[in-house]
């Protein structure tokens, strides 16, 4: 994927990676897939190596992809949280992405790629931001949102791991950096499970990025107390995947159903527990199956949007 950096209307910037393959033969409705990485990664997460890149699937289907550096990563502007307000880190970020970043990406790459709508593909903390952005999008005319994909998040955290993560936060710090060895265990279940090629650990340090402490505290401390306020108003189709061996979130069928039930306004929902997968599906053996599912869903969403939401 090609690296990009764009100026936003408010003077800020958004950076990331983009792939604009030729449209597939024949006329059809084409999604622009916008990817939101999780905490401690950046846009390279979806393009880690040629073998792991989502473009292995998306290019073959003629789907344009933009993988952004979320605010606080890369060159993307990190908006300030208003002092004295109860607004959380994720609420500020999600609103900013909706108001500034997604309209700019659509302006730059929508026509250029011959896309007809945007579909958000999000992972982990990125799914927290994407959920808020999708909810804030209702009624906007700045870009056409046709679908939402979330993974690596859920309706219940693993309390033991959440407590361990809380214990490593130092008061007053703005960013924190994870030990790559710890990430291999928590994100990939290596070396004790064979869910990913051990060779991928050669890239762990290269993919590792400082995490804004605000998003880390939000996902662990407050997100589950308010997330349904956003999920219940999202009115586009949802694809949800939770890994069978997710170290950070509970992946039982009952909790998965609780997550689904929190999106009552979605026209349709597809969800599944992704067997034999760790938290970071995109870096595991299950990546191609999941990426293919995401791309297929995005195509369905683009067609649904075109046929049901014409002006």
């Amino acid at each position: 994927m090609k690296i990009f950096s764009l100026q936003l209307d408010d003077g800020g910037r958004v950076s990331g990676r983009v792939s604009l393959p030729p449209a597939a033969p024949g006329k059809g409705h084409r999604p622009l897939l916008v990817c939101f990485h999780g905490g401690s990664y950046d846009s390279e997460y979806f393009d880690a190596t040629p073998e792991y890149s989502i473009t292995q699937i998306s290019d073959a289907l003629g789907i344009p992809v933009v993988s952004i550096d979320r605010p606080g990563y890369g060159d993307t502007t990190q908006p300030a949280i208003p002092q004295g307000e109860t607004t959380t880190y994720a609420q500020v970020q999600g609103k900013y992405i909706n108001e500034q970043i997604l309209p700019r990406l659509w302006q730059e790459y929508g026509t250029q790629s011959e896309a007809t709508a945007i579909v958000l593909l999000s992972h982990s903390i990125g799914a927290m931001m994407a959920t808020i952005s999708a909810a804030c999008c209702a009624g906007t005319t700045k870009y056409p949102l046709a679908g939402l994909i979330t993974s690596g998040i859920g309706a219940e955290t693993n309390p033991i791991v959440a407590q361990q993560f809380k214990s490593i936060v130092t008061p007053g710090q703005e960013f924190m950096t994870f030990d790559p060895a710890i990430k291999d265990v928590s994100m990939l279940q290596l070396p004790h499970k064979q869910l990913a090629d051990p060779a991928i650990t050669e890239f762990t340090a290269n993919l590792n990025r400082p995490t804004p402490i605000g998003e880390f505290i939000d996902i662990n401390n407050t997100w589950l107390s308010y997330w349904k306020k956003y999920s219940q108003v999202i009115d586009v189709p949802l694809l949800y995947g939770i890994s069978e061996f997710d170290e950070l979130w509970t992946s039982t069928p009952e909790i998965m159903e609780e997550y689904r039930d929190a999106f009552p306004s979605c026209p349709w929902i597809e969800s599944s527990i992704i067997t034999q997968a760790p938290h970071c599906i995109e870096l595991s053996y299950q990546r191609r199956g999941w990426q293919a599912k995401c791309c297929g869903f995005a195509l369905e969403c683009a067609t649904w949007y075109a046929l049901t939401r014409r002006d």
Side-chain angles (χ1 to χ4, degrees):
M1 300 176 77
K2 294 181 179 179
I3 295 174
F4 73 87
S5 181
L6 301 173
Q7 184 168 342
L8 303 173
D9 288 345
D10 69 345
R13 301 200 69 82
V14 59
S15 61
R17 296 162 183 263
V18 60
S19 173
L20 304 179
K27 294 182 179 179
H29 308 296
R30 194 180 196 200
L32 176 63
L33 199 57
V34 179
C35 303
F36 291 52
H37 61 86
S40 77
Y41 294 95
D42 63 9
S43 59
E44 194 175 4
Y45 177 77
F46 292 95
D47 191 43
T49 72
E51 181 183 358
Y52 283 80
S53 176
I54 190 172
T55 58
Q56 287 268 314
I57 304 294
S58 59
D59 280 2
L61 295 173
I63 297 175
V65 176
V66 178
S67 179
I68 65 168
D69 296 321
R70 290 192 291 100
Y73 294 86
D75 291 332
T76 302
T77 300
Q78 184 176 18
I81 296 179
Q83 296 296 314
E85 296 189 13
T86 58
T87 305
T88 70
Y89 186 95
Q91 288 170 323
V92 171
Q93 298 281 331
K95 182 179 179 182
Y96 187 76
I97 291 169
N98 173 65
E99 293 180 350
Q100 293 291 330
I101 292 178
L102 291 174
R104 183 67 180 91
L105 294 177
W106 182 248
Q107 178 188 50
E108 182 72 19
Y109 299 119
T111 300
Q112 188 180 157
S113 67
E114 301 180 38
T116 54
I118 284 177
V119 174
L120 307 181
L121 191 169
S122 59
H123 178 256
S124 196
I125 290 178
M128 176 172 65
M129 310 303 184
T131 299
I132 295 173
S133 296
C136 292
C137 174
T140 185
T141 57
K142 293 183 177 180
Y143 64 92
L145 181 65
L148 171 66
I149 303 170
T150 64
S151 70
I153 199 167
E156 181 181 274
T157 59
N158 179 329
I160 296 176
V161 175
Q163 188 58 44
Q164 290 173 341
F165 279 168
K166 289 178 185 178
S167 68
I168 64 176
V169 175
T170 301
Q173 68 183 123
E174 293 185 20
F175 291 85
M176 61 186 301
T177 301
F178 289 97
D179 183 324
I182 293 177
K183 289 187 70 174
D184 288 339
V185 174
S186 61
M187 305 296 185
L188 298 171
Q189 297 283 295
L190 288 174
H192 56 292
K193 290 187 183 295
Q194 303 303 310
L195 307 176
D197 187 340
I200 192 62
T201 60
E202 298 174 12
F203 301 94
T204 302
N206 290 336
L207 294 173
N208 201 22
R209 298 291 182 269
T211 303
I213 199 67
E215 68 178 39
F216 183 76
I217 292 175
D218 200 349
I219 195 72
N220 283 294
N221 292 5
T222 57
W223 171 242
L224 290 181
S225 70
Y226 69 84
W227 74 284
K228 292 180 181 178
K229 176 176 81 170
Y230 292 98
S231 65
Q232 66 184 2
V233 301
I234 293 174
D235 60 357
V236 296
L238 169 70
L239 171 62
Y240 171 58
I242 182 72
S243 298
E244 179 182 8
F245 295 103
D246 195 305
E247 180 84 357
L248 310 183
W249 298 88
T250 302
S251 58
T252 63
E254 295 77 16
I255 297 299
M256 184 184 71
E257 287 305 309
E258 181 182 343
Y259 187 92
R260 282 178 55 103
D261 291 345
F263 293 82
S265 300
C266 290
W268 85 83
I269 298 174
E270 298 179 22
S271 64
S272 63
I273 295 174
I274 303 170
T275 61
Q276 297 299 305
H279 179 72
C280 286
I281 312 168
E282 290 81 2
L283 302 179
S284 75
Y285 289 129
Q286 287 286 32
R287 67 187 181 280
R288 289 181 181 172
W290 174 243
Q291 290 167 347
K293 186 179 294 185
C294 292
C295 288
F297 179 78
L299 289 168
E300 289 183 280
C301 289
T303 298
W304 165 82
Y305 186 91
L307 297 181
T308 63
R309 299 200 171 183
R310 289 173 173 166
D311 295 331

